[in-house]
């Protein structure tokens, strides 16, 4: 039995704590105390050999600075997004604290609400350390088929960027543009993600697999996705503040759209869907944006 600590008791941290507890000893911690039987202090969690990091991307730099000291832990990062304030990828942020051989990243189609019901899925553990990736994949319960990959940057980009495309897909649905438009937008989204990934050294195969197409098709087609629901809210003319208040949970696509906007300017990249999502978040009319994307 492995002693695993999940850090962050939101939807995803809680679902993974449940899933991993099928075969392992798991404790969980969060910034506010929860009435959970396996709840421990942060100090105790950080003393475990294996850490599952479920803190949202926009908060993680500050959290690491304030709370984390590396002492040999093996870390699985399960968040998906790009830091808005700096444009940094998660692996860059974590690599300032955790050596590359001790860190892995989890991607693939995984609504927490289904994982916590033990419904089946297949996920990818991405790490430059193959042994570590296998170690984490072996911890999964029978209802999660574990794959491994060494394409850390590709899988990370796929997981982060699909949240932005899911916002666009939610807008498309909210505006009732039809199934053809939704499929066109999602497939162009996948091309956009893959093209962006190539710029940063990703492997092309990653984008047609679980971390790319798998997670994109899931998130961009379901109201279970928080990012998709952000899109529905924008289509309904709601403000970003109102949408987030109603959501009550994190939607990483928002911060990631801002990050992509800055990265596109810095590297002179053509990211049409991400650009329109950014502009809609900044107040452009969704009708206008979708017209710009989908008509000649
Ligand atoms: N919910 C899902 O289905 C999935 C979520 N993810 C990713 O997992 C990450 C977390 O998402 P959820 O758990 O769903 O979000 P959530 O909104 O349910 O929970 C976020 C958690 O982070 C904690 N948190 C926020 N700021 C913090 C800080 N400064 N210090 C410590 N803790 C802090 C909150 O207390 C909360 O427990 C996101 O990056 C998301 O994209 C990935 C796959 C599936
Ligand atoms: O990443 C997810 C599923 O794989 C969750 O997506 P949302 O954050 O949009 O709900």
């Amino acid at each position: 039995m492995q002693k695993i600590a999940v850090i962050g008791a939101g939807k995803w941290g809680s679902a993974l704590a449940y899933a991993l507890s099928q075969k392992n000893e798991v404790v969980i911690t969060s910034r506010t105390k929860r009435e959970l039987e396996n709840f421990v202090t942060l100090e105790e969690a950080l003393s475990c050999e294996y850490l599952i990091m479920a803190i949202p991307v926009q908060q993680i730099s500050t959290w690491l600075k304030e709370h984390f000291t590396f002492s040999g832990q093996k870390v699985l990062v399960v968040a998906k997004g790009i830091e808005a304030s700096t444009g940094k990828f998660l692996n860059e942020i974590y690599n300032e604290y955790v050596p590359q051989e001790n860190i892995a990243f989890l991607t693939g189609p995984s609504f927490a609400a289904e994982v916590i019901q033990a419904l089946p899925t297949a996920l990818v553990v991405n790490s430059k350390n193959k042994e570590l990736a296998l170690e984490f994949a072996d911890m999964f319960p029978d209802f999660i088929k574990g794959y491994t990959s060494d394409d850390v940057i590709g899988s990370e980009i796929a997981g982060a960027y699909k949240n932005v495309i899911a916002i666009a897909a939610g807008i498309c649905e909210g505006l009732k543009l039809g199934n053809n438009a939704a499929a066109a937008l999602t497939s162009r989204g996948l091309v956009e993600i893959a093209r962006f990934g190539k710029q940063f050294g990703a492997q092309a195969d990653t984008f047609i697999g679980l971390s790319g197409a798998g997670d994109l098709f899931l998130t961009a087609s379901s109201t279970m996705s928080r990012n998709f629901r952000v899109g529905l809210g924008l289509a309904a003319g709601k403000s970003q503040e109102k949408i987030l208040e109603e959501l009550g949970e994190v939607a990483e696509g928002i911060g990631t759209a801002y990050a992509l906007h800055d990265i596109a300017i810095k590297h002179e990249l053509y990211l049409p869907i991400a650009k329109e999502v950014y502009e809609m978040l900044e107040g452009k009319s969704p009708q206008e944006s979708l017209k710009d994307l989908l008509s000649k």
Side-chain angles (χ1 to χ4, degrees):
M1 285 260 262
Q2 313 288 7
K3 181 87 181 267
I4 302 169
V6 176
I7 300 185
K11 283 272 159 36
W12 194 212
S14 305
L16 282 171
Y18 162 73
L20 292 167
S21 68
Q22 307 303 304
K23 276 175 38 183
N24 312 276
E25 190 187 342
V26 178
V27 294
I28 189 162
T29 191
S30 137
R31 61 188 162 162
T32 42
K33 184 156 175 14
R34 307 282 171 95
E35 290 311 314
L36 300 168
E37 94 189 41
N38 55 349
F39 193 91
V40 295
T41 61
L42 178 60
E43 197 186 7
E44 190 177 338
L46 288 172
S47 72
C48 291
E49 185 181 1
Y50 297 91
L51 303 182
I52 311 294
M53 297 299 307
I55 294 173
V57 174
Q58 309 310 329
Q59 279 75 41
I60 196 60
S61 281
T62 309
W63 188 92
L64 285 165
K65 202 163 156 195
E66 286 175 0
H67 301 290
F68 191 79
T69 309
F70 179 69
S71 55
Q73 302 98 327
K74 296 172 183 175
V75 177
L76 179 64
V77 178
V78 303
K80 295 172 182 168
I82 306 175
E83 190 173 63
S85 56
T86 60
K88 279 188 188 167
F89 298 125
L90 267 180
N91 77 81
E92 296 179 276
I93 298 171
Y94 274 95
N95 282 343
E96 289 172 26
Y97 296 86
V98 183
Q100 219 178 46
E101 62 270 22
N102 280 60
I103 195 158
F105 299 83
L106 184 67
T107 53
S110 51
F111 282 141
E114 293 188 358
V115 169
I116 209 152
Q117 294 176 68
L119 292 170
T121 190
L123 300 180
V124 190
V125 181
N126 308 277
S127 178
K128 292 294 173 202
N129 179 346
K130 174 98 183 153
E131 252 173 57
L132 180 70
L134 285 168
E135 224 178 320
F136 276 120
D138 277 350
M139 294 174 184
F140 290 163
D142 290 346
F143 62 86
I144 298 179
K145 184 161 184 170
Y147 289 80
T148 61
S149 161
D150 65 358
D151 190 9
V152 169
I153 187 67
S155 56
E156 179 184 340
I157 285 172
Y161 211 133
K162 63 88 193 169
N163 287 329
V164 178
I165 307 300
I167 295 179
I171 293 166
C172 189
E173 166 89 9
L175 295 178
K176 301 197 177 3
L177 298 183
N179 293 313
N180 295 337
L185 193 66
T186 307
S187 60
R188 290 310 299 165
L190 187 53
V191 171
E192 184 172 317
I193 295 173
R195 199 171 46 219
F196 180 86
K198 198 173 164 200
Q199 286 281 332
F200 293 92
Q203 297 163 23
D205 281 1
T206 299
F207 300 104
I208 54 169
L210 292 164
S211 311
D215 207 4
L216 175 67
F217 294 168
L218 176 83
T219 320
S221 67
S222 169
T223 53
M224 283 177 74
S225 157
R226 285 89 49 100
N227 289 289
F228 189 90
R229 296 206 298 274
V230 168
L232 290 177
L234 288 171
K238 294 179 186 171
S239 68
Q240 212 185 113
E241 293 67 34
K242 175 87 183 147
I243 293 168
L244 286 174
E245 189 194 314
E246 286 177 4
L247 202 62
E249 288 174 31
V250 73
E252 296 275 23
I254 296 178
T256 301
Y258 283 87
L260 289 172
H261 172 75
D262 291 349
I263 295 171
I265 292 171
K266 189 169 163 199
H267 295 273
E268 294 183 8
L269 300 177
Y270 174 60
L271 311 175
I273 304 177
K275 173 175 171 284
E276 291 300 333
V277 170
Y278 164 81
E279 288 183 1
M280 286 185 276
L281 288 167
E282 286 290 292
K284 182 172 174 181
S285 123
Q287 284 83 356
E288 203 53 37
S289 258
L290 269 284
K291 191 161 151 263
D292 288 348
L293 277 173
L294 291 169
S295 58
K296 280 205 270 178

